[in-house]
Amino acid sequence: MAMAAPTGSAVPVAPALCGHLALLLLLAAPAAHGYSFPQQHTMQYWARRLEQEIDGVMRIFGGVQQLRGIYNENRNLFEVKENMPRKLVEKVAGDIESLLAKKVRALKRLANAAEKFQKAHHWQDNIREEDIEYYDSKADTEYDDPDGEEIEREKSNSLKLEFTDDANFKTKVNYSYAAVQIPTDIYKGSTVILNELNWTQALEDVFIENRKEDPSLLWQVFGSATGVTRYYPATPWRAPNKIDLYDVRRRPWYIQGASSPKDMVIIVDVSGSVSGLTLKLMKTSVYEMLDTLSDDDYVNVASFNEKAKPVSCFKHLVQANIRNKKVFKEDVQGMVAKGTTDYKAGFEYAFDQLQNSNITRANCNKMIMMFTDGGEDRVQDVFEKYNWPNKTVRVFTFSVGQHNYDVTPLQWMACANKGYYFEIPSIGAIRINTQEYLDVLGRPMVLAGNRAKQVQWTNVYQDALGLGLVVTGTLPVFNLTEDSSDRKNQLILGVMGIDVALNDIKRLTPRYNLGANGYVFAIDLNGYVLLHPNLQPQIINFREPVTLDFLDAELEDENKEEIRRSMIDGNDGQRFIKTLIKSLDEQYIDEVFRTYTWAPIKSTNYSLGLVLPPYSTYYIQANLSDQILQVKYFEYLLPNSFESEGHVFIAPREYCKDLDLSDNNTEFLENFIALMEKVTPDSKQCDNFLLHNLILDTGITQQLVERVWKDQDLNTYSLLAVFAATDGGITRVFPNKAADDWEEEPEPFNASFYRRSLDNKGYIFKPPYRDAGYRGLDLENNTIGILVSTAVELSIGGKTLKPAVVGVKLDLEAWAEKFKVLASNRTDRDQLGARRCDPSTSCEMDCEANNKDLICVLIDDGGFLVLSNQEDHWYQVGKFFSEVDANLMSALYNNSFYTRKESYDFQSVCAPEAQSNTGAAPRGVFVPTVADLLNLAWWTSAAAWSLFQQFLYGLTYSSWFQTEEVAGDSMEARETSCIMKQTQYYFSTVNATYNAIIDCGNCSRLFHAQRLANTNLLFVVADKPLCSQCESIKLLQAEVRAPPRDPNQCELVDRPRYRKGPHICFDYNATEDTSDCGRGASFAPSLGVLLSLQLLLLYSSASRHPLPPAACL
């Protein structure tokens, strides 16, 4: 416990009287060796000396005043322009609207053509593969066997095409053809697929015409309800290393375009009759069913036997977002079969869930999905009570596994409630039968005709063909044929989609005139960001959309919640707020002022926002019309000037179209110089704003070298370097040799020191970051530098702006010695060791003479060690101070010098967690016991039938039998997305000076802490710990993987964030024909064939995974 005595503030006397008296006595009492703990006025004196030294160095070497003068002297070379937020937002929103409108025209042209082509198509029962010409995108795909052997490809009649590299698509393409992708588990030679290929071939001409009208079009895709994907231009399929499970019907854009939002309750029969394998099939079926839901849908999952109960902590329908679905998937695995079946309990629970109007939900397409192994009860009384006569809830029933039950009741339930009956006899039937319910939901859309042809824009997701982050405009395609009775067909043919790369949208937004801390963002109706500088997913997962909420992209507060709500509602507005932001390196928190301005993007479900700090209201626009001056300034970019003028790093920006970008700044500078020898800054192929500002800042920073840096001896003040960085993209480091150790980003807008200096007044110290495991370097051979920077603020004609940041780099070892002297009692005339104290002449301890007894440190506003009088601390500079002295850091936190902020990063990547592997059989493959093999009844059960399809997968892809986890569509064990918990510390608003005691009995410690004015530093002086008994809980700052269920989704769903779904719902049409509601299927397997297959399967499993002795018993 730390008891504090704040200075300069009133303190209640009674509660703290004993503690304060004890503290005063300890401060005044001399120690046995004759030294006493420094008095408060002494430490305030040391603090003033430190402040004066820092300020003096920065005034001499920083050159803030001189740089202001240089800008004023060159006033004729630039204009001060104003950012007008409302006009900027209006213009960008209009530009994005125009971009998307062009894609919508192409999309509608394709959808209309597809409906016309299909209506004119004549079905062919005898069609053959040889009759169809198409490019099979997987014909050239090579799958690798896990043992290193290439798997032989199946024979294909695919066209042979040649491809050329294309910068827009970031891959090889052929613009003369479209490509076809057919899922692995669909037989491409079936009559349905061949007819689909036949009529969709006509789309190629429309694809090509669209591109002629709009050469910027990216992927044009038709996803068919049969699973066929035809996309343009043609390119080979990006194959995973093993099984390709891509199915267009499970892509986020297809799901969104194929039906209106859904309210779904999944109920699972877990009675004792559900065998082990059947229960596994049910769990997997629920898992796959959840993957057919998008963020516009709501869902809950329950299990039932005699009673029904939710499988998770969710007590009501919740949004089917990634995190909620993950909770369901984890909890479904915990279902256990026992008891007897009571359908009534399951259905009553489901109807009660759907009738709950006190929660947020989709309010469209209400449905119940029941998974069971069979039963006799039809629960007609439940349907009469809850659903008839209007039948507003569809019921889908799934008979899972092989059994001898009469399935007629299950068929009746589905047919009597506008649903569909499916059978899932084996694992191979799960994917197809858990997604075909979408065809039923599409009926009202098809019957609604043109009213239902609503273009929808998706969430952000990763493109399966390598474009990176995209959004897709979707439009459903309807079957317009009629039967002999002139009844309209009610089947959806598929969904048409056109991709727009996020980078193409970003190009329409301003960047560099907004300054380092200004930015544009956009959100959708779910509050998910479409554009945001913090939208940086670290993993490619084709199966999941990238759903980062605006309130997770930034640090959440009430103001931002209100801004988000207003944007979702389609309003425009502006608000000036005080808020918290994370630094770019995510180590610091700053309290800043920002202006948020927003407006809707018309004809879309997006809203655009602009964020500007006060100092970015104005910006510099160079106007170097004097070509002689252009040449003069440009010469300071040439490497032959670096030795005398300091090294120049230039920001890797797109100054010109033909400029080759490079991560190596030296190479990029060479490319830039080579191009500038061919073009002028006023060339049409170049961004004149960027080029003129770059060259202007080159000249201005060179003048700083001439006037300030060249005349000073850096060694006198123990400086390793001086530097200046500018909005124009220049970072000049002096002397030239210091560039060898320069580790900051060459793009100032991406440099943490630059952005923090703009947001904070005074001098900002930045030690090199060291994690907890860092063990240090040999200081004799490696010099450690500490950056100190400050922004240059200009006032021109009453307009305030910050166009540059200047600073110095301190030599750690030399400044640590200087720090000890400045925090000591000797004057300039004293010599080290001149003072002598004994018990009769008490002296105050100081940081130099008593460094064996007294710890003196400078800690920055994030809690990181900057300087110390302890030599064994020097290699720990840059570490979070709790790693250095946990006891003292806890005391500082407990005395309110620091405030803690915890948040979550939902875009992180983690290694897959180790799975327990206690059994010998491969995961995912059922291997029967000896008793099973001897039981004839088993061979007619679900297990034998399931093994048939499992074996087919095994023959085609031997990796099916590998005991490794599968991830995404590639079926590979790999890094997975995960949630990381971040903790940052920052100064509280308390500015008082504290004398305090860390009360630990005989191990108590005194300490004093004081903020250094005009810096981000805290000066702390403390007793060295006398013993190790005064333990404290170490404060954690390092990012860690969030524990399971952290953040607590169970609590969050009871406080759902505001969102809006699509404004039109198509879930009912009086003319819908519900007579097609599913039929049973039968298959009589040959016992001899199944026995042979099983023995072969067992042999394959045993050869790859030898059974341990225990497993053979």
Side-chain angles (χ1 to χ4, degrees), residues 238-283:
R238 292 168 65 95
N241 292 333
K242 299 176 187 174
I243 296 177
D244 174 28
L245 290 182
Y246 180 95
D247 189 323
V248 68
R249 295 166 296 182
R250 289 181 170 268
R251 298 293 285 145
W253 65 270
Y254 185 95
I255 293 170
Q256 183 169 326
S259 64
S260 291
K262 300 173 277 294
D263 284 325
M264 177 187 290
V265 179
I266 301 172
I267 54 176
V268 185
D269 178 2
V270 292
S271 61
S273 64
V274 177
S275 69
L277 179 61
T278 302
L279 184 59
K280 288 181 180 179
L281 290 174
M282 287 184 179
K283 291 176 180 179

Side-chain angles (χ1 to χ4, degrees), residues 82-90 574 595-597 610 612 617:
E82 182 177 3
N83 282 315
M84 306 183 73
R86 291 186 185 274
K87 287 187 176 181
L88 279 173
V89 169
E90 182 181 347
Q574 187 174 74
T595 298
Y596 282 73
T597 308
L610 171 66
L612 271 184
T617 302

Side-chain angles (χ1 to χ4, degrees), residues 756-757 760-766 787-790 1015-1016:
R756 294 203 70 219
S757 296
N760 292 278
K761 294 182 178 180
Y763 308 125
I764 305 303
F765 282 68
K766 180 182 176 291
L787 291 189
V788 188
S789 57
T790 189
T1015 73
N1016 65 326

Side-chain angles (χ1 to χ4, degrees), residues 63 73 167 186 213 437 510-511 546 622 637 685 755 911 933 948 1047 1071:
E73 291 171 17
I186 292 179
E213 282 202 19
Y437 77 92
R511 175 66 183 99
V546 179
L637 283 175
Q685 66 158 297
R755 295 172 67 156
L933 291 171
F948 175 70
T1071 64

Side-chain angles (χ1 to χ4, degrees), residues 15 29 122 129 260 264 266 309 321 345 621 644 890 917 929 1016 1062:
H122 297 289
E129 283 193 75
S260 291
M264 177 187 290
I266 301 172
K309 63 179 181 179
N321 57 40
Q621 179 173 302
S644 61
S890 294
N917 202 13
T929 64
N1016 65 326

